[in-house]
Amino acid sequence: MKLAVVGGGSTYTPELIDGFARLRDTLPVEELVLVDPAADRLELVGGLARRIFAKQGHPGKITTTSDLDAGVADADAVLLQLRVGGQAARNQDETWPLECGCIGQETTGAGGLAKALRTVPVVLDIAERVRRTNPDAWIIDFTNPVGIVTRALLQAGHKAVGLCNVAIGFQRKFAALLDVTPGEVHLDHVGLNHLTWELGVRLGGPDGENVLPKLLAEHGDAIAGDLRMPRQIVDRLGVVPSYYLRYFYAHDEVVRELGTKPSRAAEVAAMEKELLAMYGDPALDEKPALLGKRGGAFYSEAAVDLASSLLGGGGSAVQVVNTYNKGTLPFLPDDAVIEVQARVDGTGATPLAVPALDPLYAGLIGHVTAYEDLALEAALRGGRDRVFKALMAHPLIGQFEYAEALTDKLIAHNREHLAWA
């Protein structure tokens, strides 16, 4: 089995490599190719990756290349984890929206739209090249904004599934609180990428006992603390929202907070510099503890599980993924991309049925889906007016004055990445 990781020079990659090494019985990788145009980073990451495999006795071969076509040739699956424009572009996404009093964030609001506009054309080009060399390869997308990127891939006819680590993070957290193994915890996870709620926490499977009320009663303070939301909000909802919902539920508070400290991109850039120095140490043969602060917790387990199921291995039958709605949420179009529990096998992902959603959640899901429709249109066709309409549709913006100013700022800060600008 051959896998390729596009964006393999990312400082995330040793987390993924560690998962491949530890879970080799689930996903027996014979060849792993790390693909990245940044040859200097790629060499450092590739060297550590080989040492991790060697230390854990993994027999697979790890190679590195800046040649995309050669790297993805004959791959059974291609994982996408790229960042167009790097941390510099992310830093802009997180700062210029604040000038208009709006959230500065890389996956939602104006910054999230900027990332989508930069990313979708690049990802579609990569996918077309994968299809030319190996039309049967699965594409697993971990590149944000995952919902929009996955929809672009599916809409273009690619064999693609989107992946996020939010759900597996909640699963691991709840398992620890309940003192059970993660495999015993099933989440009623519903929504869009980075806009989800845990409506239930079940033991033993989709039809198991819902222990969410017990979790909130006994561990509500800890759960709310992790979300950085007041305990009374979580109690009143009676569900566990993704921590990304804080941008919606406490928008103005977060804007004030972001204006008083360095951007997350600046923090990550400093962390990456330190990590790359560590990766260059020939004595290092395991992922360093600092990587845990970089983000992407449990990404490797989720990626291995998904790839294994798609490729006919021993992965879990039910996983949280991003895929076509196909009637699962009846108030959305069938071709909207949602993030829910799905049965995953060699044919792809089939969403499980979900209960009727409270309008409190359905309304926001519908609103953000409309924005994502317009965001994808802007990413595919370009044009100032399409960018403006997407910003007007976003529930965190929605005012003419803000949308006008943000459109100009977005284009000015991303001109080098927008072929039409």
Side-chain angles (χ1 to χ4, degrees):
M1 182 184 298
K2 175 181 176 180
L3 269 65
V5 181
V6 179
S10 168
T11 54
Y12 266 137
T13 300
E15 163 72 25
L16 187 62
I17 299 299
D18 180 71
F20 285 145
R22 288 185 294 101
L23 303 172
R24 55 184 174 272
D25 291 339
T26 302
L27 187 67
V29 178
E30 297 166 294
E31 182 180 359
L32 180 63
V33 185
L34 306 181
V35 184
D36 202 294
D40 52 344
R41 291 171 63 109
L42 191 58
E43 186 58 33
L44 294 173
V45 174
L48 175 57
R50 295 184 191 97
R51 295 193 298 272
I52 290 174
F53 262 31
K55 180 179 181 180
Q56 299 196 31
H58 195 297
K61 178 177 68 171
I62 295 178
T63 59
T64 60
T65 182
S66 294
D67 184 334
L68 175 69
D69 296 321
V72 302
D74 300 319
D76 296 288
V78 177
L79 281 71
L80 304 181
Q81 55 172 38
L82 56 146
R83 182 182 296 280
V84 179
Q87 293 299 329
R90 176 181 179 175
N91 185 64
Q92 293 182 351
D93 295 343
E94 294 177 343
T95 51
W96 55 261
L98 296 174
E99 298 170 9
C100 296
C102 295
I103 287 289
Q105 215 278 329
E106 64 159 342
T107 63
T108 192
L113 176 61
K115 192 172 195 304
L117 297 182
R118 294 193 304 268
T119 304
V120 166
V122 174
V123 165
L124 288 178
D125 177 66
I126 292 169
E128 284 299 328
R129 292 163 71 175
V130 170
R131 181 152 54 189
R132 285 200 298 268
T133 58
N134 184 8
D136 293 325
W138 279 102
I139 296 177
I140 297 173
D141 178 59
F142 193 66
T143 297
N144 283 319
V146 168
I148 295 172
V149 172
T150 300
R151 184 169 179 181
L153 288 165
L154 290 172
Q155 192 170 282
H158 298 290
K159 294 174 60 177
V161 181
L163 179 65
C164 181
N165 68 318
V166 167
I168 195 171
F170 275 132
Q171 182 197 45
R172 298 302 198 267
K173 173 70 174 179
F174 296 154
L177 293 175
L178 294 165
D179 195 25
V180 298
T181 64
E184 296 176 76
V185 176
H186 176 94
L187 302 177
D188 292 341
H189 180 100
V190 180
L192 311 177
N193 180 241
H194 290 185
L195 193 86
T196 52
W197 296 263
E198 309 307 328
L199 304 183
V201 178
R202 301 183 182 277
L203 293 182
D207 299 318
E209 176 192 3
N210 181 15
V211 296
L212 180 55
K214 169 184 169 71
L215 269 172
L216 292 178
E218 296 180 2
H219 304 285
D221 286 343
I223 292 170
D226 285 346
L227 299 173
R228 300 186 64 200
M229 294 183 191
R231 166 75 185 267
Q232 62 265 33
I233 297 299
V234 178
D235 285 342
R236 289 182 68 179
L237 292 175
V239 303
V240 178
S242 159
Y243 42 85
Y244 286 94
L245 265 299
R246 185 168 182 258
Y247 298 120
F248 294 81
Y249 293 162
H251 176 275
D252 293 353
E253 176 186 344
V254 176
V255 168
R256 290 191 295 270
E257 177 185 295
L258 292 174
T260 64
K261 61 181 184 179
S263 69
R264 174 62 177 166
E267 295 175 355
V268 170
M271 200 179 303
E272 287 195 332
K273 185 176 181 180
E274 189 175 351
L275 283 169
L276 289 170
M278 292 179 177
Y279 296 172
D281 180 357
L284 183 67
D285 56 8
E286 60 186 12
K287 63 177 183 180
L290 179 61
L291 187 55
K293 299 180 181 180
R294 169 66 179 81
F298 308 114
Y299 160 43
S300 61
E301 283 93 337
V304 168
D305 207 17
L306 178 55
S308 178
S309 294
L310 291 172
L311 299 175
S316 303
V318 176
Q319 299 167 40
V320 173
V321 298
N322 285 260
T323 191
Y324 271 151
N325 177 44
K326 298 178 182 176
T328 308
L329 300 180
F331 54 90
L332 295 183
D334 285 351
D335 64 351
V337 165
I338 60 175
E339 184 172 293
V340 293
Q341 292 274 10
R343 295 200 178 278
V344 183
D345 58 24
T347 65
T350 303
L352 300 183
V354 302
L357 287 185
D358 187 300
L360 180 62
Y361 314 124
L364 188 52
I365 290 171
H367 196 160
V368 175
T369 296
Y371 151 74
E372 290 191 348
D373 288 347
L374 294 168
L376 181 55
E377 184 75 2
L380 293 173
R381 301 179 63 190
R384 187 187 187 282
D385 192 52
R386 293 189 181 93
V387 173
F388 170 78
K389 288 179 179 178
L391 291 170
M392 278 289 287
H394 200 292
L396 296 182
I397 301 167
Q399 297 185 53
F400 175 82
E401 180 182 358
Y402 290 169
E404 277 286 339
L406 289 168
T407 298
D408 290 338
K409 289 178 183 294
L410 186 156
I411 294 171
H413 283 284
N414 290 275
R415 199 175 299 277
E416 66 179 294
H417 299 292
L418 305 177
W420 52 267

